[in-house]
Amino acid sequence: MKEEYDFTNAEQGKFYRPLEELEIPIYLDREIREFFFKNIKGRHNSFSLNKIVNSLIRQDIEISKKLLPEKTA
C-alpha cells in the first residue's frame, strides 16, 4: 500500500446508488424453480421467470389487501 494517494481528480459518490435503484437478486428454492421450468417453460414461447414470479407476487399483494384491514395512522 502506498503511503499517500492523490485524490485531486476524484469524484465523490461516483458509484453511489440509492437503495431504491439497486437490483437485489432473489434466489428461489430448488423445488420452486424446478416447478416453473418443468410445468410452465414448455407451455409458453416467451417464458420469463421474472415476469411469472412478479405476477404471482402482485396477485398475492392484491389478495392480502382484501384480507387485511388497512392501517389507520
Side-chain angles (χ1 to χ4, degrees):
M1 212 171 157
K2 296 180 183 179
E3 280 191 35
E4 291 186 22
Y5 290 89
D6 182 12
F7 292 104
T8 306
N9 296 319
E11 182 180 334
Q12 186 174 2
K14 182 176 183 176
F15 298 103
Y16 170 78
R17 297 291 179 265
L19 287 177
E20 297 82 22
E21 292 181 13
L22 291 177
E23 292 289 331
I24 300 170
I26 296 175
Y27 301 99
L28 300 175
D29 292 341
R30 183 185 315 138
E31 61 270 8
I32 293 172
R33 191 175 57 248
E34 286 174 357
F35 170 82
F36 285 112
F37 283 110
K38 286 180 183 175
N39 295 301
I40 296 175
K41 188 174 183 178
R43 297 182 194 176
H44 300 284
N45 293 335
S46 59
F47 174 79
S48 168
L49 189 56
N50 287 338
K51 287 181 182 180
I52 291 170
V53 171
N54 280 317
S55 175
L56 290 170
I57 292 172
R58 281 189 190 95
Q59 290 174 8
D60 192 42
I61 289 170
E62 290 304 314
I63 291 169
S64 296
K65 284 179 182 179
K66 292 176 184 176
L67 296 177
L68 299 175
E70 288 188 31
K71 291 183 180 180
T72 55

